[in-house]
Amino acid sequence: MRYLILSDVHANLEAFETCKALAQGKYDEVLCLGDLVGYGPDPNAVIEGVRGMARMIIRGNHDKACCGITDAEDFNDLARQATLWTRSELTPENLAFLRTLPEGPVMVDGFQMVHGSPGDEDEYIFGPGQALPTLRGLVIQTVLFGHTHFQGGFMITPAGRFQSIRCSSREEGLIAVLPLEDGARYLINPGSVGQPRDSDWRAAFAILDDQGRQVEYYRTPYELAATQAKMYHAGLPEPLIRRLELGR
Ligand code: ZN
C-alpha cells in the first residue's frame, strides 16, 4: 500500500490542490496528521477537500483551538487572531467535524499517526532532545508526525546510531527517498502542506510505501500570491501573509 501523508495544511487551498495534483496516481490511501485549519484563508474548502479523500485524520492544536476544544490562550497574538477569524468562518458542519477528530496516537496498518509526539499531541519534536527518548521508547518501527512544519524526521539505524533525516533540495517534485531498513526505527515528518517553516516556502508532503519499504519526500511550488491575496482580503494579520513566502 502507498499512503499519501499530509500534515499542517492550515487552510491553504492552493497548496493543498497543488499537492493533490502532484500526488495523483501515486497513492492508494490518504492519512492526515492534523492542523487542517488555522492561519490560512480557506478553512471550509480545505476541511471538505481533505475529508473527502482521507482514510484517517487526527486533530492538531489549531484544529482544537478553532473548534473551541481549547481556548487559544497559549497561542501568540497573531495565531489567536487567525483562530478567532477561522471560528467565525467555519460552517456549523465543519465546526462539528473538527470536534470529532480523534487525538493521536492512532494506529494504522502497523504504524502510528501523531500530531506532535506519541506521548503528547502538542509536543514539538525539533531535535534529539525530544526525538531520542521517543525513538528509544518505540515498540513499532515507524511513527508519522507533524506539528513542527519541518520536512524530514529522525531515525535510529540498525546499528543503533541516531540520525536526523534531512531532505532539503532545490529540486521540484520527488526530492528524497528514504529506504526503511529492518531493525531501524523512524520518526517521519512529511513537512507542512500549507505553511512550511524550514526556510523553503514550497508545499511539502510524503508518500510512505510499505511494500517498497521506503518514504518519498516531495516539494512543489504553488500559487502563493493567490493565497496571500485571499488572506489580505480576509483581513488576516500582515505578518502571517508575509511568512508564507519566507517559509518560516
Ligand atoms: Zn501546524
Short mmCIF file of all heavy atoms in Angstrom, two decimals, residues 7-10 33-39 60-62 115 124 146-149 192 195 197, ligand 1:
data_model
loop_
_atom_site.label_atom_id
_atom_site.label_comp_id
_atom_site.label_asym_id
_atom_site.label_seq_id
_atom_site.Cartn_x
_atom_site.Cartn_y
_atom_site.Cartn_z
N SER A 7 0.18 16.84 6.26
CA SER A 7 0.14 17.43 7.59
C SER A 7 0.13 18.95 7.50
O SER A 7 0.62 19.52 6.51
CB SER A 7 1.36 16.98 8.41
OG SER A 7 1.18 17.33 9.77
N ASP A 8 -0.46 19.58 8.50
CA ASP A 8 -0.38 21.03 8.63
C ASP A 8 -0.76 21.75 7.33
O ASP A 8 0.02 22.55 6.80
CB ASP A 8 1.02 21.44 9.13
CG ASP A 8 1.31 20.83 10.50
OD1 ASP A 8 0.81 21.36 11.50
OD2 ASP A 8 1.98 19.77 10.56
N VAL A 9 -1.95 21.46 6.85
CA VAL A 9 -2.44 22.10 5.63
C VAL A 9 -2.80 23.56 5.90
O VAL A 9 -2.64 24.43 5.05
CB VAL A 9 -3.66 21.34 5.04
CG1 VAL A 9 -4.11 21.98 3.72
CG2 VAL A 9 -3.32 19.87 4.82
N HIS A 10 -3.29 23.81 7.10
CA HIS A 10 -3.53 25.17 7.58
C HIS A 10 -4.33 26.04 6.61
O HIS A 10 -3.95 27.18 6.31
CB HIS A 10 -2.21 25.86 7.95
CG HIS A 10 -1.68 25.43 9.29
ND1 HIS A 10 -2.37 25.66 10.46
CD2 HIS A 10 -0.57 24.74 9.64
CE1 HIS A 10 -1.68 25.15 11.48
NE2 HIS A 10 -0.60 24.57 11.02
N LEU A 33 -2.20 14.25 9.37
CA LEU A 33 -1.66 14.34 10.73
C LEU A 33 -2.10 15.59 11.49
O LEU A 33 -1.51 15.94 12.50
CB LEU A 33 -0.13 14.29 10.68
CG LEU A 33 0.47 13.10 9.92
CD1 LEU A 33 1.99 13.20 9.89
CD2 LEU A 33 0.04 11.79 10.56
N GLY A 34 -3.14 16.26 11.01
CA GLY A 34 -3.73 17.33 11.80
C GLY A 34 -3.34 18.73 11.36
O GLY A 34 -2.48 18.92 10.50
N ASP A 35 -4.00 19.71 11.99
CA ASP A 35 -3.92 21.12 11.61
C ASP A 35 -4.39 21.35 10.19
O ASP A 35 -3.67 21.86 9.32
CB ASP A 35 -2.51 21.71 11.86
CG ASP A 35 -2.33 22.14 13.32
OD1 ASP A 35 -3.27 21.94 14.12
OD2 ASP A 35 -1.26 22.66 13.65
N LEU A 36 -5.66 20.97 9.98
CA LEU A 36 -6.33 21.29 8.71
C LEU A 36 -6.48 22.80 8.58
O LEU A 36 -6.44 23.33 7.47
CB LEU A 36 -7.73 20.66 8.71
CG LEU A 36 -7.83 19.14 8.64
CD1 LEU A 36 -9.28 18.72 8.87
CD2 LEU A 36 -7.34 18.65 7.29
N VAL A 37 -6.73 23.46 9.71
CA VAL A 37 -7.08 24.89 9.68
C VAL A 37 -6.15 25.71 10.57
O VAL A 37 -5.25 25.19 11.21
CB VAL A 37 -8.56 25.08 10.12
CG1 VAL A 37 -9.50 24.36 9.16
CG2 VAL A 37 -8.77 24.58 11.56
N GLY A 38 -6.43 27.01 10.61
CA GLY A 38 -5.59 27.95 11.35
C GLY A 38 -4.63 28.60 10.38
O GLY A 38 -4.04 27.91 9.54
N TYR A 39 -4.48 29.91 10.46
CA TYR A 39 -3.59 30.73 9.62
C TYR A 39 -4.14 31.05 8.24
O TYR A 39 -4.13 32.19 7.82
CB TYR A 39 -2.20 30.09 9.43
CG TYR A 39 -1.40 29.91 10.70
CD1 TYR A 39 -0.95 28.66 11.09
CD2 TYR A 39 -1.10 31.01 11.51
CE1 TYR A 39 -0.21 28.50 12.25
CE2 TYR A 39 -0.36 30.85 12.68
CZ TYR A 39 0.09 29.59 13.03
OH TYR A 39 0.83 29.42 14.17
N GLY A 60 -5.01 18.42 15.24
CA GLY A 60 -3.84 19.18 15.65
C GLY A 60 -4.25 20.26 16.63
O GLY A 60 -5.45 20.46 16.90
N ASN A 61 -3.27 20.97 17.18
CA ASN A 61 -3.57 22.00 18.17
C ASN A 61 -4.42 23.14 17.59
O ASN A 61 -5.28 23.68 18.28
CB ASN A 61 -2.28 22.54 18.80
CG ASN A 61 -1.25 23.00 17.79
OD1 ASN A 61 -1.07 22.38 16.75
ND2 ASN A 61 -0.56 24.09 18.08
N HIS A 62 -4.22 23.47 16.32
CA HIS A 62 -5.04 24.53 15.72
C HIS A 62 -6.47 24.06 15.45
O HIS A 62 -7.41 24.84 15.55
CB HIS A 62 -4.38 25.05 14.44
CG HIS A 62 -3.18 25.89 14.72
ND1 HIS A 62 -3.22 27.27 14.79
CD2 HIS A 62 -1.90 25.54 15.00
CE1 HIS A 62 -2.02 27.72 15.09
NE2 HIS A 62 -1.20 26.70 15.21
N HIS A 115 0.14 13.97 15.98
CA HIS A 115 0.36 15.35 15.52
C HIS A 115 1.71 15.84 16.03
O HIS A 115 2.59 16.18 15.26
CB HIS A 115 -0.78 16.27 15.97
CG HIS A 115 -0.61 17.67 15.44
ND1 HIS A 115 -0.65 17.96 14.10
CD2 HIS A 115 -0.36 18.86 16.06
CE1 HIS A 115 -0.43 19.26 13.91
NE2 HIS A 115 -0.25 19.83 15.09
N TYR A 124 6.49 19.44 20.48
CA TYR A 124 7.25 19.61 19.24
C TYR A 124 8.49 18.72 19.27
O TYR A 124 9.28 18.79 20.20
CB TYR A 124 7.73 21.06 19.09
CG TYR A 124 6.62 22.04 18.81
CD1 TYR A 124 5.99 22.70 19.86
CD2 TYR A 124 6.21 22.31 17.51
CE1 TYR A 124 4.96 23.62 19.61
CE2 TYR A 124 5.19 23.22 17.25
CZ TYR A 124 4.57 23.87 18.31
OH TYR A 124 3.56 24.77 18.06
N GLY A 146 3.84 15.48 12.71
CA GLY A 146 3.85 16.79 12.07
C GLY A 146 4.16 17.86 13.08
O GLY A 146 5.09 17.73 13.87
N HIS A 147 3.39 18.95 13.06
CA HIS A 147 3.40 19.99 14.09
C HIS A 147 4.58 20.96 13.99
O HIS A 147 4.42 22.15 14.24
CB HIS A 147 3.37 19.32 15.47
CG HIS A 147 3.01 20.21 16.62
ND1 HIS A 147 2.13 21.26 16.54
CD2 HIS A 147 3.43 20.19 17.93
CE1 HIS A 147 2.02 21.84 17.73
NE2 HIS A 147 2.81 21.22 18.58
N THR A 148 5.78 20.49 13.62
CA THR A 148 6.93 21.40 13.54
C THR A 148 7.01 22.11 12.20
O THR A 148 7.69 23.12 12.07
CB THR A 148 8.27 20.65 13.73
OG1 THR A 148 8.41 19.70 12.66
CG2 THR A 148 8.32 19.92 15.06
N HIS A 149 6.34 21.56 11.19
CA HIS A 149 6.39 22.12 9.83
C HIS A 149 7.80 22.00 9.23
O HIS A 149 8.16 22.78 8.36
CB HIS A 149 5.93 23.58 9.79
CG HIS A 149 4.53 23.80 10.29
ND1 HIS A 149 3.75 24.86 9.87
CD2 HIS A 149 3.75 23.11 11.15
CE1 HIS A 149 2.58 24.81 10.47
NE2 HIS A 149 2.55 23.76 11.27
N SER A 192 5.02 20.44 6.03
CA SER A 192 3.73 21.12 6.04
C SER A 192 3.27 21.41 4.62
O SER A 192 4.02 21.96 3.82
CB SER A 192 3.85 22.43 6.83
OG SER A 192 2.71 23.24 6.62
N GLN A 195 2.01 25.58 5.25
CA GLN A 195 2.83 26.61 5.86
C GLN A 195 4.20 26.08 6.30
O GLN A 195 4.50 25.99 7.48
CB GLN A 195 2.13 27.23 7.07
CG GLN A 195 2.81 28.51 7.47
CD GLN A 195 2.20 29.16 8.68
OE1 GLN A 195 2.71 29.03 9.77
NE2 GLN A 195 1.09 29.85 8.48
N ARG A 197 7.99 25.75 7.39
CA ARG A 197 8.81 26.65 8.22
C ARG A 197 10.26 26.23 8.21
O ARG A 197 11.01 26.58 9.11
CB ARG A 197 8.28 26.65 9.65
CG ARG A 197 6.93 27.31 9.77
CD ARG A 197 6.43 27.33 11.20
NE ARG A 197 5.02 27.70 11.22
CZ ARG A 197 4.20 27.38 12.20
NH1 ARG A 197 4.63 26.69 13.23
NH2 ARG A 197 2.93 27.76 12.15
ZN ZN B 1 0.63 23.24 12.35
#
